[in-house]
Amino acid sequence: MSQQKLGLKSKATGSVECLGQAFPSEETRREHFLKLLAEKLKDPEFRKIEGFPIGRDEDILALSDPPYYTACPNPWIGDFLKAYGTPYDPKKPYHREPFAADVSEGKSHPIYNAHSYHTKVPHRAIMRYILHYTEPGDVIFDGFAGTGMAGVAAQLCGDRAEVQELGYRVRDDGVILDEEGKAFSKLGARRAILNDLSPAATFIASLYNLPCDAQEFDDEAKRVLEKVSEECGWMFVSQNKGKTEQAEYFVWSDVFACSECGKEFVFWDVAVDQEAEKVHTNFNCPACDAELTKRKVQRVFENYFDKQLQKVCKLTKRQLVLVSGKGSLGTGERPPCQSDTDLVSKIAATDPASFGWFPTEELKPGDKTSDPFNVGIHYAHQFFTPRNLRVLASFYKHSKGGRFFPRILALMTGGLLGISLMQRFRPKTTFPNMILSGTLYVGSLVREWSAIKWLNGKLRTLGKAFQKKSYTSMIGVGSASDTRIPSGTIDYLFIDPPFGSNLMYSELNFLWESWLRVFTNNKCEAIENKTQEKALAEYHNLMCMAFKEAYRVLKPGRWMTVEFSNTQASVWNSIQTALQNAGFVVANVAGLDKERLSFNALNNPTSVKQDLVISAYKPNGGLEDRFSKRGETEEGVWDFTKTHLRNLPVVKARGGHLEPIVERDPRILYDRMVAFYVGHSTPVPLSSAEFQAGLAERFQQRDEMFFLPEQVNEYDKKRQQMEGVGQLSIFVEDEKSAVAWLRNFLKDRPSVYSDITTDFMQQLGASWKKWETRPELRALLEQNFLRYEDGEVPGQIHSYLSTQFKELRNLAKDHAQLRQKAKDRWYVPDPKRNIDVEKLRNKRLLEEFWTYLPAGYSPPALNPNRGESLPGLTVPVPKIPKGKKLRELRSEAVRVGFKHCYQAKDYQTILVVAEMLPESVIQEDEALQMYYDTAVTRTGGNE
């Protein structure tokens, strides 16, 4: 692709070409498209697009650099794809295994640190995935783009030095070799379409992804900062012992009142031990000596008249307690002097509006707004001290209207949180930034950094991230479920979506967006949020819609990578079922270590220390066509399985060992097949046991995993080079995982009941789900395994005994000594015999499922007038009183029952039983969520 087609200046003429149109310069290009965008903004239908941000036309235009970035839905995405995309060609060969290796990338790169945001995936981590799945010129899409790291990664795939930093080697012809010297990709930039609901996020993304002359930006930023320093520098100069001193920061302390005597005191004076450099949790009232904690005291507020709001406001009372300055007397911290307090009074006497505009937007109630509300903060400007607010107003005034206004504004927003009241102070802490991430928390000790000094420091960081890049990205603001991207046009998807209630993005972005003057439309924000009345079910529905849109725009046979970070099983399950409901097939889950942990990850022992990466693919058109013709037959099952096995990793090595590939486990393969069938509203032709028996007949088995014939050689060759195959650890929390643990235990050592008991009971700890009936070990064994009683010793037992006992080696399977030793040992049945075991087990589980029906309810498929009874029932069973929830149940029984009802198209019964279950039962179980979602869809959501 030529430079001019990418929108770069021609050295000969100075002209640029953009989306097929020629312009004399970048300025004329920008003016042309701004005019078109202004006309578009006047169209009422355009503003009805889902996720359209809240803001005036002039503010949206001020941020935008169309057609490459618009602070609203980008109307030129279709043109971008016409110019640079390639149509889907089913005849063009494309095959990738999922990227199965775990990835670890740090956060120290200048690009990562240039502008803060709540979550970011390092661009070098994303580069690994893009290089694996795409070719130069391919178009990727990130519907939850955040700060646009996927776009940065796509462009830097054409940077030889960056690619080599990943540990890859690049040949002279551009072919990229992995760590083992195997060619797997090509050097060359990819193109990106970036979308996010947040104007703040996409604004930051535009800074990272659009070209900028770093030197020109630096010159303009320094000019603005000089103007600000001339106007506001006096606010940071005081007289200490008759000498002039330049302040670096000030420390403010909250004032509280004793709950015992009512006397006011400064928190700093009673709780901070400067010699020990610590803040005490317990302290004494200086007036009455009562022992206190922050929970026992009352916050003191003071009233002031706010000229901008034209009303009396109430803020927490604070006192200046420490100054850090630099002057002829040296550098360091000292108590404030009269000059410092006089300076505070002088600043307060000035009209802040005389320094320029600043936002007074009201902070709406939300799940994270109680922290600022508790200290009296209800408006954007109240997040800053009077001193720093005036600096920010001056900065905005001197940068407004300039050619680099968005970039200069980015410099300010990049430092905004650091110079707000959310900047905490802790003795002994040398790290300059002490903001509690993921919150709007304002502490009792606030460090007021010099805004001028802070912004100068931020300029040095930000400038390193700006480069003379190409225009390879299109960026817009909108919902991930309404992208306006043509179907089947995207080559690869990388998505880092919100995860449940982890972060309240629209609330946390309030401060940035108040200065940008364009706000998130949170109606379709995919989060759990009590204030927005969004529980897990609403989050799940929003993610389903987003993934369905992602599925629509992706080319058949191509891949999506989903980065996941959440400790809750229910949210993990919600993401997986949303993927499957959309039509994606999960092929691998790997780790992504961002190295630097968040505050929560460092301090919460239950936090996930490593993000997970889900690799999923959209089935190609050939499979879909074949499935439409023979999906209800066994042939359809094996066609899907063969295709799926081809899309799974063959080997995964770590530390000299092969790691087991979970997705090749027969039970996981069955779950993926069932999910595919349910997603296509097709009855499942085979039971789990029948499926496993068929696997053994049709495919090659190694180490409890199944492979295609052409994959086995690669696996065997790699296995010979390794020390062994690792074991999966099984976390026992319900009947299903207990059976899995027993299967893992017995396949290695068939045992008698007494030898199993001790090990099994140790697994049934505090992690057991509270609603799950604790099964008897004997019942689990009888319903899922076989016990040897007489006759020829099964091969599994024979192999184990002949290995463990020398005297039993080389004995025939019907030898009396061998039979005696094998007596009463439980073992895992072979696939063919397991069919009968499973049928009997499912009959018992289905019988129990019918006991979960509410009194007075009969499944609509039954006709009592003809004497029909519930399948599997041998005797009448009592029913639960209507409206009463089950306290204890067997999830396995619900799984079998839901599957039976799905096969019978009895969606009503699924919904009725779901109402009887504790909410978490379905939320934390992938199979139940899948059947439930299907039932809701098929009945229109009505019970």
Side-chain angles (χ1 to χ4, degrees):
M1 189 64 65
S2 71
Q3 285 190 333
Q4 285 160 291
K5 286 186 177 181
L6 292 171
L8 296 179
K9 290 182 180 180
S10 164
K11 292 181 180 180
T13 65
S15 64
V16 296
E17 186 175 324
C18 176
L19 298 181
Q21 299 181 63
F23 298 93
S25 66
E26 283 289 2
E27 287 304 311
T28 54
R29 182 271 301 172
R30 189 175 291 109
E31 289 171 6
H32 170 77
F33 284 104
L34 278 172
K35 184 177 179 181
L36 293 178
L37 181 60
E39 294 172 2
K40 194 74 175 173
L41 289 170
K42 293 179 172 61
D43 181 1
E45 293 302 312
F46 181 60
R47 282 186 165 272
K48 289 180 182 178
I49 294 176
E50 190 175 272
F52 198 98
I54 301 167
R56 300 179 305 172
D57 290 6
E58 54 264 40
D59 295 319
I60 291 173
L61 291 169
L63 298 180
S64 300
D65 186 6
Y68 303 110
Y69 163 55
T70 60
C72 62
N74 194 319
W76 288 283
I77 286 177
D79 299 311
F80 180 79
L81 283 164
K82 286 179 183 177
Y84 307 129
T86 55
Y88 169 64
D89 181 1
K91 296 180 181 179
K92 184 178 180 180
Y94 174 87
H95 174 72
R96 298 289 192 281
E97 289 180 14
F99 188 91
D102 293 340
V103 173
S104 178
E105 289 292 344
K107 299 180 177 181
S108 59
H109 197 284
I111 289 177
Y112 191 94
N113 293 316
H115 198 296
S116 60
Y117 198 67
H118 323 294
T119 55
K120 270 189 242 174
V121 179
H123 71 275
R124 283 180 175 167
I126 306 174
M127 284 175 67
R128 295 181 184 274
Y129 297 100
I130 295 176
L131 288 170
H132 178 81
Y133 289 111
T134 67
E135 296 291 329
D138 279 356
V139 179
I140 74 167
F141 172 62
D142 186 350
F144 297 92
T147 57
M149 291 296 104
V152 173
Q155 187 162 169
L156 291 180
C157 285
D159 187 308
R160 182 182 293 266
E162 281 283 332
V163 171
Q164 289 174 335
E165 281 291 329
L166 302 177
Y168 301 142
R169 187 162 65 88
V170 184
R171 294 192 324 214
D172 292 341
D173 61 358
V175 172
I176 301 174
L177 310 179
D178 64 18
E179 292 89 342
E180 296 181 353
K182 182 180 178 182
F184 76 98
S185 190
K186 293 180 182 178
L187 186 70
R190 281 68 167 166
R191 294 178 180 81
I193 297 174
L194 307 174
N195 176 84
D196 200 277
L197 195 65
S198 165
T202 56
F203 173 70
I204 300 169
S206 72
L207 308 171
Y208 282 126
N209 284 277
L210 303 188
C212 174
D213 188 308
Q215 187 58 55
E216 289 186 15
F217 161 76
D218 189 69
D219 293 343
E220 176 65 9
K222 286 178 178 176
R223 183 195 68 79
V224 171
L225 283 168
E226 286 175 8
K227 291 282 187 181
V228 173
S229 186
E230 290 172 7
E231 189 169 13
C232 304
W234 61 270
M235 299 181 192
F236 301 93
V237 178
S238 64
Q239 298 294 319
N240 178 24
K241 297 180 181 180
K243 302 290 185 179
T244 300
E245 187 177 70
Q246 187 75 37
E248 290 192 308
Y249 62 79
F250 308 87
V251 178
W252 296 83
S253 172
D254 282 358
V255 176
F256 293 104
C258 176
S259 55
E260 298 295 325
C261 68
K263 297 289 186 180
E264 293 184 9
F265 61 87
V266 180
F267 181 69
W268 171 274
D269 294 339
V270 300
V272 176
D273 186 337
Q274 289 184 267
E275 289 186 6
E277 297 180 320
K278 63 181 296 185
V279 180
H280 295 295
T281 303
N282 298 289
F283 45 86
N284 295 92
C285 172
C288 68
D289 204 38
E291 186 173 336
L292 303 171
T293 66
K294 284 181 68 175
R295 291 181 178 273
K296 294 180 180 180
V297 298
Q298 297 175 341
R299 191 178 297 277
V300 177
F301 289 88
E302 55 185 1
N303 295 330
Y304 77 100
F305 183 76
D306 192 302
K307 293 181 179 179
Q308 281 62 47
L309 300 177
Q310 285 296 298
K311 67 176 184 179
V312 175
C313 294
K314 183 172 70 172
L315 285 173
T316 189
K317 187 176 180 180
R318 293 188 182 89
Q319 184 168 310
L320 183 64
V321 295
L322 194 70
V323 178
S324 177
K326 181 183 292 186
S328 58
L329 296 177
T331 301
E333 297 175 341
R334 60 171 175 80
C337 61
Q338 186 62 45
S339 174
D340 300 311
T341 54
D342 290 344
L343 183 61
V344 169
S345 299
K346 181 180 177 182
I347 293 168
T350 63
D351 182 359
S354 65
F355 290 83
W357 173 87
F358 54 85
T360 57
E361 189 76 19
E362 185 175 10
L363 177 63
K364 304 296 190 297
D367 284 13
K368 291 294 181 183
T369 55
S370 60
D371 287 330
F373 287 170
N374 287 339
V375 297
I377 294 176
H378 290 270
Y379 298 89
H381 64 295
Q382 294 176 332
F383 274 94
F384 304 95
T385 62
R387 181 175 2 227
N388 278 345
L389 180 64
R390 285 154 177 77
V391 173
L392 291 171
S394 175
F395 189 92
Y396 190 92
K397 175 181 66 179
H398 289 296
S399 58
K400 180 73 173 176
R403 182 164 68 92
F404 280 89
F405 171 63
R407 299 274 171 175
I408 305 298
L409 188 57
L411 172 59
M412 188 180 77
T413 58
L416 207 57
L417 304 184
I419 50 182
S420 74
L421 292 173
M422 291 187 288
Q423 182 69 267
R424 300 173 298 151
F425 175 79
R426 287 290 181 273
K428 200 178 179 179
T429 302
T430 57
F431 190 66
N433 205 346
M434 287 293 294
I435 299 165
L436 194 59
S437 62
T439 72
L440 295 173
Y441 178 73
V442 178
S444 297
L445 298 174
V446 172
R447 172 153 49 182
E448 179 194 12
W449 281 102
S450 162
I452 297 175
K453 178 180 175 63
W454 191 270
L455 292 174
N456 270 292
K458 179 57 66 174
L459 174 60
R460 290 190 292 272
T461 305
L462 194 64
K464 294 177 183 178
F466 294 161
Q467 305 170 38
K468 288 185 177 180
K469 309 184 190 80
S470 303
Y471 285 106
T472 57
S473 295
M474 293 288 276
I475 308 166
V477 178
S479 169
S481 57
D482 185 11
T483 64
R484 306 299 169 101
I485 296 175
S487 298
T489 55
I490 300 298
D491 297 294
Y492 170 65
L493 300 167
F494 184 93
I495 292 180
D496 177 18
F499 295 102
S501 57
N502 268 21
L503 289 166
M504 305 295 114
Y505 289 92
S506 60
E507 297 175 22
L508 299 175
N509 290 344
F510 166 77
L511 209 53
W512 285 321
E513 292 177 356
S514 66
W515 286 90
L516 299 179
R517 304 170 77 147
V518 184
F519 294 86
T520 300
N521 181 345
N522 64 17
K523 183 178 179 180
C524 51
E525 186 178 17
I527 57 172
E528 291 180 74
N529 185 290
K530 293 178 182 178
T531 308
Q532 295 182 27
E533 298 182 344
K534 292 175 182 173
L536 184 61
E538 286 72 28
Y539 167 77
H540 175 70
N541 291 336
L542 288 164
M543 288 309 305
C544 281
M545 290 189 289
F547 284 139
K548 285 178 181 177
E549 180 73 351
Y551 185 89
R552 182 186 66 79
V553 304
L554 185 65
K555 290 177 179 177
R558 294 300 188 117
W559 288 85
M560 173 168 72
T561 300
V562 181
E563 194 266 343
F564 173 90
S565 178
N566 193 288
T567 59
Q568 297 180 24
S570 57
V571 178
W572 167 251
N573 174 59
S574 187
I575 287 290
Q576 288 212 95
T577 53
L579 278 168
Q580 292 172 163
N581 287 346
F584 287 103
V585 182
V586 176
N588 189 68
V589 179
L592 172 60
D593 185 0
K594 299 177 184 175
E595 291 190 1
R596 186 189 302 166
L597 300 178
S598 68
F599 175 86
N600 286 336
L602 285 166
N603 292 278
N604 185 350
T606 64
S607 291
V608 173
K609 301 297 191 295
Q610 186 183 53
D611 290 1
L612 298 176
V613 176
I614 305 171
S615 298
Y617 63 90
K618 177 178 178 176
N620 61 37
L623 174 63
E624 293 287 355
D625 290 342
R626 296 192 303 272
F627 189 83
S628 65
K629 298 172 184 175
R630 58 192 185 193
E632 296 191 26
T633 67
E634 286 191 37
E635 189 179 2
V637 170
W638 303 121
D639 186 22
F640 166 80
T641 305
K642 183 178 180 180
T643 303
H644 185 53
L645 286 172
R646 188 176 293 115
N647 283 319
L648 297 181
V650 177
V651 293
K652 184 176 180 181
R654 178 190 288 180
H657 288 79
L658 281 181
E659 289 193 354
I661 300 170
V662 179
E663 291 293 331
R664 291 188 178 274
D665 180 275
R667 286 156 291 278
I668 301 298
L669 288 170
Y670 181 73
D671 289 344
R672 298 295 178 229
M673 183 272 292
V674 170
F676 187 76
Y677 269 73
V678 173
H680 287 73
S681 301
T682 304
V684 182
L686 299 176
S687 68
S688 176
E690 291 169 335
F691 178 78
Q692 291 181 49
L695 276 177
E697 293 175 355
R698 291 169 173 81
F699 304 102
Q700 301 289 320
Q701 186 174 9
R702 297 288 190 277
D703 301 318
E704 305 296 321
M705 299 178 288
F706 284 90
F707 298 85
L708 297 175
E710 59 267 29
Q711 297 172 330
V712 166
N713 288 339
E714 181 183 350
Y715 182 80
D716 289 344
K717 183 179 179 180
K718 195 70 176 179
R719 198 185 194 291
Q720 291 175 1
Q721 302 170 2
M722 296 290 160
E723 297 176 16
V725 181
Q727 290 286 327
L728 285 174
S729 58
I730 298 174
F731 189 63
V732 178
E733 59 181 4
D734 57 11
E735 182 176 340
K736 183 179 181 181
S737 53
V739 172
W741 183 88
L742 283 169
R743 183 180 292 108
N744 203 46
F745 181 92
L746 292 174
K747 71 179 175 63
D748 292 331
R749 50 173 173 151
S751 305
V752 297
Y753 181 82
S754 58
D755 290 342
I756 305 170
T757 306
T758 302
D759 287 315
F760 179 74
M761 295 308 295
Q762 289 176 351
Q763 302 298 316
L764 303 182
S767 59
W768 194 263
K769 293 177 179 177
K770 61 182 179 181
W771 63 79
E772 188 76 27
T773 302
R774 284 182 180 262
E776 293 292 335
L777 172 59
R778 191 171 296 279
L780 287 180
L781 291 170
E782 290 174 350
Q783 292 178 19
N784 296 277
F785 304 95
L786 294 177
R787 180 168 59 92
Y788 171 73
E789 296 180 85
D790 200 7
E792 189 175 277
V793 176
Q796 186 184 145
I797 300 179
H798 179 267
S799 176
Y800 171 71
L801 292 178
S802 61
T803 302
Q804 297 295 316
F805 302 95
K806 292 181 180 179
E807 66 273 17
L808 299 179
R809 291 174 185 170
N810 302 318
L811 296 181
K813 290 185 178 180
D814 58 353
H815 193 281
Q817 189 179 356
L818 184 66
R819 287 164 54 195
Q820 179 62 33
K821 195 69 175 179
K823 182 74 172 172
D824 290 331
R825 289 183 182 271
W826 291 93
Y827 65 99
V828 179
D830 63 58
K832 290 183 178 179
R833 292 196 66 185
N834 196 39
I835 294 173
D836 295 329
V837 174
E838 186 180 81
K839 283 182 179 178
L840 180 60
R841 174 175 177 269
N842 286 352
K843 181 180 178 182
R844 292 172 178 171
L845 289 170
L846 186 59
E847 184 167 333
E848 179 154 349
F849 173 74
W850 299 127
T851 68
Y852 301 158
L853 294 176
Y857 175 80
S858 293
L862 300 182
N863 188 337
N865 296 329
R866 295 200 299 265
E868 293 180 355
S869 61
L870 295 168
L873 273 187
T874 55
V875 294
V877 294
K879 293 185 179 180
I880 309 299
K882 190 174 183 180
K884 187 175 181 180
K885 294 272 188 181
L886 290 163
R887 289 189 175 183
E888 249 192 17
L889 53 96
R890 290 178 72 182
S891 296
E892 285 290 274
V894 181
R895 290 187 193 100
V896 169
F898 274 20
K899 182 182 177 183
H900 173 85
C901 293
Y902 166 78
Q903 298 283 75
K905 298 184 179 180
D906 180 6
Y907 307 118
Q908 191 72 24
T909 298
I910 294 176
L911 297 178
V912 167
V913 173
E915 281 295 308
M916 308 292 292
L917 306 176
E919 195 174 55
S920 298
V921 174
I922 290 179
Q923 291 177 349
E924 296 185 11
D925 190 289
E926 183 181 339
L928 298 184
Q929 183 79 63
M930 177 179 64
Y931 288 124
Y932 176 77
D933 287 347
T934 301
V936 170
T937 301
R938 293 296 163 192
T939 60
N942 298 318
E943 298 183 12

